Amino acid sequence: MKRPGRRARIATVAALALAAGVLAPVAAAPPAAALTDPVGFTADHLPTYQTNGIVWSLAEANGVVFAGGTFSSVRPAGTPSGGGSASTVNFAAFNAETGVPTACSLSFTRSSGTATVRALAVSPDKSTLYVGGYFNAVNGTSANGLVAVDTATCTRRAGFSPNFSATVRALDVAANGTVYAGGDFQSINGTTRRFFGAVTPAGAVTGWNPDADDPGRTVRVTPDGESVLIGGDFFTVGGANSHALAVTAATTGAVTRGYPNNFIPSTAVIKDIVTDSASGGWYAAGEGRGGNSFDGRLAMELDGFGQRWRDTCQGATQALRVYKEVLYAASHVHDCSTMGGFPNQTRKHLTAQRVDDPDLLGWLPDTNDGIGEPVGPRALTISSRGGRDFLWVGGEFTTVNGVQQQALTRFANTPDTGSPSLPAVSASAPRAGEVRVSWRTSLDLDDSLLTYRVYRDGGSTPVHTTTGSSLFFSRPQLTFTDRNVVAGRTYSYRVSATDGAGNTSAQSPAVSVTAASSASPYRERVLADGADLYWRYDEPGGAFAADASDSDNGGVYVNTPTYRSTPSAVAGSAALALNGSDEYVYSDRLHRYTSPTPYSIETWFRTTSTSGGRIVGFGNNIGTAQGHTSSISDKLLYLTNNGRLAFGVQAGSTNSRPTLTSSGSYNDGQWHHAVATQGPGGMALYVDGVRVGSNATAGNRSYNGYWRVGGDAMNNAWPNRPSGTYFAGQVDETAIYPSALTAAQVAAHHELAQEPAPPGDTTVSVLPEEDAYVNSVAANTNYNDQQLASRGTTAYLSYLRFPLPAAPAGQVLKAARLQFRTSSDPTAGSAESHDVVPVTGAWTESTVTYNSRPALAASVLGTITGATAVSTDHAVELSAPALGGALGSSYSLALTSGGTDSLRIWSSEAGSAASRPQLVLTFGAE
């Protein structure tokens, strides 16, 4: 029961805060904000004092949060290490709402060795805080591993002086005042108590004696007070086999439920246990060594103590708390593939799950690993104050959500202020009378269900609104088909994302497309034959590869391959160029294959490489870093060093790799059509419409994974394994089918590739033949480098010269747009508008300066707006009639502005071809 009088006294403005010049008023509770159910806390970290070392334990009482650990000072949020700090030795207390220290100050020290506070627990009536660890003095007064503190006065309780022989690592307090402890000790008050023991409110040893054989890490009294749950390193309790976890009688410590026979692997320990009466469960945190150990969470029943569910994600779990039917965990989870989740990737440190379901929820604020071992967060507690609830996190971390913040942070149940990330958008004109707008769903760290609005041609009213769910490891594609279009007209689209609280992203950069008057025969046949993943590689840049099928199996471009490569394999489409070392595309959605499910792989490729490489394959990971490539892969279409095409699978989990290999070589610099199929009739490999190999193998390996184009790991079991596992060359029109294509279907696809669409539009991309910018501050300096710039005051102007082609026979210029990418300079984005105007004077990129700058026309071809993000692709529509009169000649454009906010974009000298500006011209019938 909370006592208002004591709460009022402990909420006194902090002496440490005053010393630091901080006065933190108590704000009125903000209105409630919607999070995606059942997530209860936002992912927006709040300003919180920091420590200069590790926080090992947290507890709360009456709106005050206590932190114990190994540190010597605290400092305000935003203050670098060593600045603005106040001394506080291994213990501090904070106002839960403001994050500012209270006046409660205790110093835990040792006469020799490094003192530390490892365990904190508050009595059920919130009147007493118990502090355990490795220390022999508190404020200079003798103490031996455990003391009691009055929470109202922040003074040590007299008469409570138990003597623990070694470190106390875990504490809990029963309703009757009994204090249960676990740790490294072998005795209490001289009485043998191996690793677990209990004392009365007066500090006398009780009869509770689990007698474990290895250290204790956590203790928790069950809600009915009859049992004590213990966790740690031990293998026996009271002589009975029970590793890492046991249920003991609250009075004697006798085992009432053991967990032998590798229930917890021998390589794992239990670091934390929490109980939850509302769900009738208790939950345990595992920390293991090795891939077959236990690093995740256990959900157990309070009635009978059996297992409810087990989370087998990898990444040691350190602390748990339950809040409104959600289990929050502090860990460094990095691999949930055994749970049907994400593969081994960068560590995530804060996660949430329903108490009745181990699947991860859409709550993912993050820390780094930090100092110490390092593992990131170590402790969690929940506190209420000022009408809000707060989740406090302590540990080893030094950043939170990418911002410098050491050892402490906190999150509230309201308000939610973070906006979703920008949707990544692609547009295409697949057939007459329709434009297809596809986007990769956004990421919001506390809202997995988002609302998306599609805007056309700069309008303020959306033409389409829909919802979609996404997680950091699963961002499915969404699609809108606009059928209110006219053939030959160019349309632009932007998409925004809004979370449940109304926070809205900026609109995505505009993507433009000219509505077609007819469909691509090749594309129509691929879709008609059932492709459920179809990447055409027509994006001008970015990380999103749109799926042209109705299955919305979008892809992710990795390491910025060269987009819109020419020539393409299929008429009317662009291709993708890959460097053979680290560029590839992977499917954004986990796929589940169970042998012998039939499938087909289809792609076009073009290369002169003599080091081979994987062209298309299926694997269980999506990354390139060590440990993040696929440890399992099959369904591989690859090229050998001598240019032969191979198609192989893994026979179950054996080392057998049934593989078909062509007799001919195809690294001749020409486009080749490759199709690999497997079904009840076996495997078949086709090149350029002709079958070049087959066998009777109908089975492969069953596992969850991702389609990858361009490369992945390959072990030595693959026949004629290439020296390079990443493909150097071009790919186009990659499709995956849930069936085995017939020979007739394959031949038809090959024949249709170069068949042009019925009379329609022609799109041509033109790169600058010269570009440079000038600067009024250095008026005689020539800037011919990797960036272009535009600003009014102090003036920057940029110039680009394009060789405009003549119009195709019978066609005229119908649309034009300038595509560009803002540079990585922190000031590259601009909230202001920038005009594109014709250049009427003479200039060359090697000599132009501000003082010799060319004259400009008074007319404006187009205006750049919304280019606010750095390293992002943008486009601006230009006046087609104005450019139409210059076709067949060189034409110069200038970027100008009347404002003060500079725009910086990559020039034609940029290292990546995808970053270079280009003029996209669309020609159509007169």
Side-chain angles (χ1 to χ4, degrees):
M1 179 178 182
K2 294 183 178 179
R3 303 186 180 185
R6 288 176 174 166
R7 178 174 176 175
R9 287 196 296 274
I10 205 164
T12 305
V13 176
L16 287 174
L18 290 173
V22 177
L23 186 61
V26 177
L35 300 168
T36 301
D37 185 68
V39 170
F41 293 105
T42 80
D44 310 319
H45 66 285
L46 302 174
T48 307
Y49 262 62
Q50 315 170 68
T51 72
N52 66 342
I54 300 171
V55 171
W56 291 103
S57 184
L58 294 170
E60 76 84 33
N62 308 318
V64 172
V65 171
F66 305 99
T70 312
F71 52 85
S72 60
S73 67
V74 297
R75 63 187 188 278
T79 303
S81 178
S85 60
S87 177
T88 179
V89 183
N90 299 324
F91 176 86
F94 303 88
N95 181 308
E97 184 182 22
T98 65
V100 173
T102 73
C104 180
S105 180
L106 299 170
S107 178
F108 290 80
T109 59
R110 284 191 61 82
S111 55
S112 63
T114 302
T116 184
V117 171
R118 287 299 183 103
L120 298 170
V122 174
S123 62
D125 66 359
K126 304 291 187 180
S127 66
T128 305
L129 169 70
Y130 292 93
V131 183
Y134 183 61
F135 51 82
N136 58 22
V138 180
N139 287 357
T141 303
S142 177
N144 288 288
L146 181 63
V147 297
V149 178
D150 186 296
T151 57
T153 63
C154 191
T155 58
R156 182 177 173 185
R157 287 195 182 277
F160 183 83
S161 301
N163 185 346
F164 283 76
S165 63
T167 305
V168 174
R169 296 183 179 273
L171 293 170
D172 199 18
V173 188
N176 64 6
T178 300
V179 182
Y180 294 89
D184 301 343
F185 52 85
Q186 298 279 321
S187 66
I188 306 173
N189 297 346
T191 301
T192 298
R193 288 291 185 267
R194 296 199 304 161
F195 307 115
F196 290 96
V199 296
T200 68
V205 179
T206 75
W208 186 71
N209 183 19
D211 191 31
D213 64 336
D214 269 317
R217 305 274 189 167
T218 181
V219 293
R220 193 68 58 188
V221 182
T222 57
D224 61 11
E226 295 181 0
S227 301
V228 178
L229 312 170
I230 63 172
D233 301 12
F234 52 83
F235 288 86
T236 64
V237 180
N241 291 329
S242 190
H243 172 54
L245 198 64
V247 182
T248 69
T251 53
T252 64
V255 174
T256 58
R257 174 68 186 265
Y259 299 93
N261 303 324
N262 212 36
F263 181 81
I264 301 296
S266 61
T267 52
V269 300
I270 295 296
K271 298 297 291 288
D272 195 19
I273 295 172
V274 294
T275 62
D276 178 50
S277 297
S279 63
W282 57 284
Y283 307 89
E287 176 183 86
R289 300 186 307 277
N292 294 320
S293 190
F294 174 61
D295 269 353
R297 274 73 68 187
L298 276 178
M300 309 289 284
E301 299 287 354
L302 282 169
D303 182 9
F305 304 109
Q307 179 177 303
R308 179 185 293 165
W309 53 256
R310 181 182 293 237
D311 170 345
T312 57
C313 292
Q314 293 293 307
T317 307
Q318 303 296 314
L320 302 169
R321 283 298 181 271
V322 175
Y323 176 79
K324 295 185 177 179
E325 300 183 351
V326 173
L327 178 67
Y328 294 88
S331 71
H332 56 263
V333 59
H334 57 88
D335 186 351
C336 286
S337 56
T338 57
M339 296 274 293
F342 60 92
N344 188 29
Q345 290 295 297
T346 303
R347 291 176 168 188
K348 307 294 181 181
H349 297 86
L350 295 167
T351 57
Q353 299 156 292
R354 295 177 185 267
V355 292
D356 58 359
D357 186 344
D359 286 346
L360 293 181
L361 297 172
W363 184 79
L364 211 80
D366 203 10
T367 72
N368 65 353
D369 288 342
I371 60 177
E373 284 191 38
V375 298
R378 289 281 190 177
L380 301 173
T381 198
I382 295 170
S383 185
S384 300
R385 190 162 185 160
R388 288 196 291 170
D389 299 332
F390 300 89
L391 174 66
W392 278 69
V393 182
E396 300 174 333
F397 52 86
T398 57
T399 67
V400 179
N401 290 341
V403 177
Q404 294 294 317
Q405 174 71 22
Q406 185 170 359
L408 282 171
T409 191
R410 62 200 173 97
F411 306 90
N413 62 326
T414 184
D416 176 11
T417 60
S419 298
S421 64
L422 278 177
V425 184
S426 177
S428 62
R431 53 176 63 93
E434 67 180 52
V435 166
R436 182 182 173 98
V437 184
S438 300
W439 63 96
R440 188 187 190 202
T441 46
S442 299
L443 182 62
D444 189 294
L445 297 181
D446 47 31
D447 291 277
S448 54
L449 181 64
L450 301 174
T451 298
Y452 297 90
R453 294 176 175 86
V454 182
Y455 299 86
R456 189 173 74 175
D457 294 338
S460 58
T461 301
V463 295
H464 179 69
T465 301
T466 189
T467 59
S469 292
S470 57
L471 298 168
F472 85 93
F473 55 88
S474 178
R475 296 171 61 182
Q477 174 178 309
L478 294 177
T479 298
F480 160 60
T481 300
D482 188 355
R483 294 186 172 87
N484 185 26
V485 296
V486 176
R489 179 178 168 185
T490 298
Y491 299 88
S492 68
Y493 298 86
R494 291 186 170 189
V495 181
S496 68
T498 303
D499 67 14
N503 301 305
T504 301
S505 72
Q507 291 184 14
S508 64
V511 294
S512 300
V513 64
T514 301
S517 57
S518 59
S520 159
Y522 182 89
R523 177 188 183 279
E524 293 297 290
R525 185 59 185 265
V526 167
L527 295 177
D529 285 340
D532 63 2
L533 182 157
Y534 183 18
W535 297 338
R536 305 202 73 197
Y537 309 119
D538 288 341
E539 287 77 26
F544 172 54
D547 178 18
S549 84
D550 290 332
S551 299
D552 285 335
N553 276 312
V556 179
Y557 293 114
V558 178
N559 292 323
T560 318
T562 301
Y563 307 94
R564 291 188 178 274
S565 177
T566 56
S568 63
V570 173
S573 176
L576 184 74
L578 301 165
N579 64 5
S581 60
D582 63 358
E583 295 173 353
Y584 62 102
V585 193
Y586 70 84
S587 56
D588 212 6
R589 180 184 295 172
L590 187 69
H591 293 77
R592 294 170 171 83
Y593 277 91
T594 302
S595 178
T597 302
Y599 63 92
S600 298
I601 303 168
E602 179 176 31
T603 197
W604 290 78
F605 70 94
R606 178 172 179 257
T607 187
T608 57
S609 172
T610 57
S611 58
R614 286 177 52 142
I615 305 174
V616 185
F618 191 69
N620 68 342
N621 211 325
I622 58 178
T624 54
Q626 185 175 4
H628 297 172
T629 53
S630 294
S631 59
I632 303 172
S633 61
D634 77 337
K635 308 173 192 59
L636 259 60
L637 191 63
Y638 63 96
L639 212 63
T640 65
N641 287 351
N642 60 4
R644 296 183 178 185
L645 190 66
F647 166 44
V649 299
Q650 183 176 4
S653 58
T654 71
N655 284 327
S656 176
R657 302 290 196 279
T659 301
L660 303 172
T661 304
S662 69
S663 59
S665 296
Y666 302 100
N667 55 347
D668 54 6
Q670 302 298 312
W671 280 110
H672 295 285
H673 180 230
V675 177
T677 71
Q678 188 178 26
M683 299 168 61
L685 176 63
Y686 301 83
V687 182
D688 295 335
V690 177
R691 189 167 67 185
V692 298
S694 64
N695 64 28
T697 303
N700 49 68
R701 184 159 184 178
S702 300
Y703 63 100
N704 300 334
Y706 307 83
W707 287 105
R708 292 176 54 136
V709 175
D712 196 0
M714 290 182 69
N715 68 33
N716 291 327
W718 291 101
N720 300 308
R721 179 187 181 276
S723 55
T725 58
Y726 285 78
F727 176 73
Q730 292 169 289
V731 291
D732 200 4
E733 306 289 326
T734 302
I736 306 296
Y737 302 79
S739 63
L741 295 177
T742 65
Q745 288 173 312
V746 172
H749 290 196
H750 180 254
E751 292 170 5
L752 285 170
Q754 293 305 319
E755 181 175 325
D761 295 337
T762 302
T763 300
V764 178
S765 295
V766 184
L767 295 174
E769 55 187 3
E770 290 189 272
D771 55 20
Y773 84 96
V774 297
N775 182 345
S776 63
V777 173
N780 291 312
T781 302
N782 170 253
Y783 292 93
N784 175 23
D785 56 23
Q786 290 190 338
Q787 292 191 60
L788 304 175
S790 171
R791 186 172 67 189
T793 308
T794 302
Y796 298 148
L797 295 95
S798 290
Y799 308 101
L800 303 96
R801 180 178 287 113
F802 292 94
L804 300 185
Q811 294 189 328
V812 297
L813 183 65
K814 300 175 67 175
R817 68 180 182 272
L818 177 65
Q819 294 181 172
F820 60 90
R821 178 176 296 178
T822 49
S823 77
S824 57
D825 188 293
T827 65
S830 178
E832 297 177 347
S833 62
H834 297 260
D835 289 335
V836 182
V837 301
V839 178
T840 57
W843 67 280
T844 64
E845 69 174 10
S846 61
T847 63
V848 66
T849 67
Y850 185 80
N851 281 343
S852 67
R853 65 190 184 277
L856 306 180
S859 58
V860 176
L861 298 172
T863 300
I864 298 168
T865 59
T868 57
V870 304
S871 300
T872 303
D873 295 306
H874 298 276
V876 55
E877 296 297 323
L878 304 181
S879 169
L883 270 68
L887 293 176
S889 66
S890 290
Y891 190 81
S892 293
L893 308 174
L895 304 184
T896 71
S897 173
T900 59
D901 188 11
S902 63
L903 173 71
R904 295 179 182 273
I905 70 173
W906 293 117
S907 74
S908 60
E909 280 77 30
S912 168
S915 299
R916 299 165 190 165
Q918 57 182 311
L919 194 61
V920 181
L921 306 175
T922 301
F923 299 93
E926 298 184 36

